[in-house]
Amino acid sequence: MVPTFEYAPAPESRDIARLRPSYQLFVDGAFRDGAGESIKTINPADETPLAEVSEAGQRDVDDAVAAARRAFDGPWGRMPAAERGKYLFRIARAIQERGRELAVLETLDNGKPIKESRDVDIPTAAAHFFYYAGWADKLEFAGFGGSRDPASAGPAPRPIGVAGQIIPWNFPLLLAAWKIAPALACGNTVVLKPAETTPLTALVLAEIIAEADLPPGVVNILAGGASVGEAIVAHDGIDKIAFTGSTDVGKSIQRAVAASGKKLTLELGGKAANIVFEDAPIDQAVEGIVNGIFFNQGQVCCAGSRLLVQESIADEVEAALQRRLSTLRVGDPLDKNTDVGAINSAAQLARIRELSDSGEAEGATRWSPACDVPERGYWFVPTVFTNVSPAHRIAREEIFGPVLSVLTFRTPDEAIEKANNTAYGLSAGVWTEKGSRILAMANRLRAGVVWANTFNRFDPTAPFGGYKESGFGREGGRHGLEAYLDV
Ligand code: NAD
């Protein structure tokens, strides 16, 4: 055990979140109670209730889709593109202004460490609105269906219409921004459903949208569970579905929209390989491995959940990793010193436990640093499995938790074969000093994003999306516009 500094607790005040006892749906520019039951959202760090959230029913879905259609056919559809952009800039600035409130609220609702919601989730959400605000009046230069040469730009491509957007709980506000910002920049209107366990920041975003004075119906936010998602997917008035979530639900949505004429993009699960070659700077690589799998408690679709390490340095990397993990602070997500927060829900915790137990049962070696976790709440200490074989469930299935499976390789070919030996294909990481090796590996890895000597970097200008069972379509960057344009 390496010595660590002992810090006094430094919790962010939960008053900043301006938590209210109840939250309503946002339909046609107004807040209202939904026709469904109300949902209790809880703080996963201590299991105490945070607020009651009104759930949408079929009537609310119908009203939201009708309002979105009226806005698309009316004021929003007729608005000059430069004016649309101004609304997006306004939303971006308001997210920044209410950044601390949103960060604390996100941490309370999700369980992620405050330093992540404060430094990653909320600033990146604002950055998405800023980035796509800039595109709103430049779509004819985006190069869809024509030249990317500004001198020979064609007419601006047309929006699709009403987009139904369904998101999961791991980056609640950030994923709402990923979905809403490009859709609006292209001139669409939206009906968005946040996840049932983390609806709060999306509903505060609805307040921001109302204060930004967007025409009613341009953005509608419906809280609720799977049945609300199904109603959005099935609705005749929806032109496009954008879904982020699990591969199983993604497949069921693909079946549901088949032959309906609805456009579809799917951002699904992952089982990324983080590949460390013997010439890599080990200390930096260890930081990248830790960030890759313990950021957001590993509840990240592109998490580096499989470490592929070259055999000649495997012992050294494993020892360095154990030393580093022994310094991670697990605990109160509102404490600014916390590195690893709470798991989002009891159901997710049960899944992580079940898969980790299978790792031991199948013969892998389990290790975790000694650390105390709070008595109440959903906690899982950072865990590393060595002696993992590619056939083990922990090497094949997405755990979506702070669990790393370590495999070894001898040659670049073997690394590629093992990295690509997965049903998924969302992301990968390569750690080496050789630039030529980075390029060669990136060309052969079947992953939508390949990070070199870094991991889990999110930038609104960079496209993000998967191969195989990780889905199709790209979000972010110029590519992210295509999903919302009739091209
Ligand atoms: P999930 O698929 O269970 O739920 C995601 C959303 O879909 C929620 O809002 C849920 O209410 C809704 N939903 C559930 N069933 C539905 C149905 N039949 N029809 C319509 N909507 C339905 O996923 P989850 O457990 O909340 O999230 C974790 C998953 O999300 C992981 O697999 C992760 O990899 C994936 N994810 C992917 C990305 C990406 O960009 N590729 C990003 C974040 C998370």
Side-chain angles (χ1 to χ4, degrees), residues 175-465:
L175 288 176
W178 274 33
K179 294 273 180 281
I180 295 173
L184 298 194
C186 294
N188 303 277
T189 56
V190 309
V191 177
L192 174 121
K193 190 194 87 63
E196 46 274 55
T197 58
T198 54
L200 298 184
T201 47
L203 293 168
V204 173
L205 180 62
E207 275 174 36
I208 288 173
I209 285 166
E211 283 161 16
D213 234 3
L214 260 80
V218 175
V219 175
N220 303 272
I221 298 192
L222 301 178
S227 61
V228 180
E230 283 169 13
I232 293 172
V233 169
H235 205 289
D236 286 343
I238 295 270
D239 301 304
K240 185 229 156 68
I241 294 289
F243 172 78
T244 297
S246 59
T247 295
D248 283 350
V249 174
K251 285 180 181 173
S252 77
I253 290 177
Q254 193 170 13
R255 280 192 292 272
V257 304
S260 71
K262 288 177 190 147
K263 291 195 179 239
L264 178 65
T265 43
L266 295 176
E267 300 278 2
L268 310 175
K271 190 76 188 173
N274 203 358
I275 306 167
V276 182
F277 284 94
E278 61 190 0
D279 65 344
I282 303 286
D283 288 347
Q284 278 178 42
V286 167
E287 286 308 305
I289 296 164
V290 169
N291 172 41
I293 185 63
F294 301 113
F295 172 67
N296 202 23
Q297 295 71 247
Q299 301 165 132
V300 183
C301 48
C302 51
S305 51
R306 289 182 299 150
L307 172 63
L308 299 190
V309 57
Q310 198 152 14
E311 208 173 85
S312 51
I313 54 161
D315 290 347
E316 185 186 350
V317 169
E318 281 166 25
L321 197 54
Q322 290 194 356
R323 279 198 303 277
R324 181 66 180 91
L325 293 190
S326 301
T327 68
L328 288 183
R329 286 165 189 278
V330 184
D332 182 5
L334 279 180
D335 190 320
K336 292 166 203 156
N337 299 322
T338 291
D339 299 304
V340 179
I343 301 302
N344 180 247
S345 65
Q348 186 58 22
L349 181 60
R351 177 169 167 78
I352 298 169
R353 284 189 175 143
E354 191 267 322
L355 269 161
S356 300
D357 292 347
S358 85
E360 262 180 299
E362 289 185 329
T365 309
R366 181 175 186 159
W367 180 88
S368 290
C371 73
D372 297 326
V373 294
E375 251 166 46
R376 297 202 64 189
Y378 310 132
W379 301 95
F380 196 88
V381 293
T383 298
V384 178
F385 280 99
T386 49
N387 297 318
V388 177
S389 108
H392 289 162
R393 284 182 67 201
I394 55 169
R396 291 184 288 115
E397 295 180 30
E398 184 182 47
I399 301 175
F400 223 56
V403 182
L404 178 67
S405 301
V406 184
L407 298 104
T408 58
F409 67 91
R410 289 185 184 166
T411 63
D413 282 347
E414 191 187 349
I416 289 284
E417 203 178 307
K418 284 186 166 158
N420 288 342
N421 182 15
T422 167
Y424 296 108
L426 194 53
S427 66
V430 180
W431 297 83
T432 171
E433 245 175 21
K434 280 204 179 93
S436 55
R437 180 177 282 155
I438 290 170
L439 296 175
M441 293 292 291
N443 272 336
R444 297 172 67 199
L445 284 164
R446 296 287 294 158
V449 182
V450 180
W451 285 292
N453 294 326
T454 186
F455 208 92
N456 272 345
R457 288 256 168 187
F458 306 105
D459 189 299
T461 66
F464 183 94

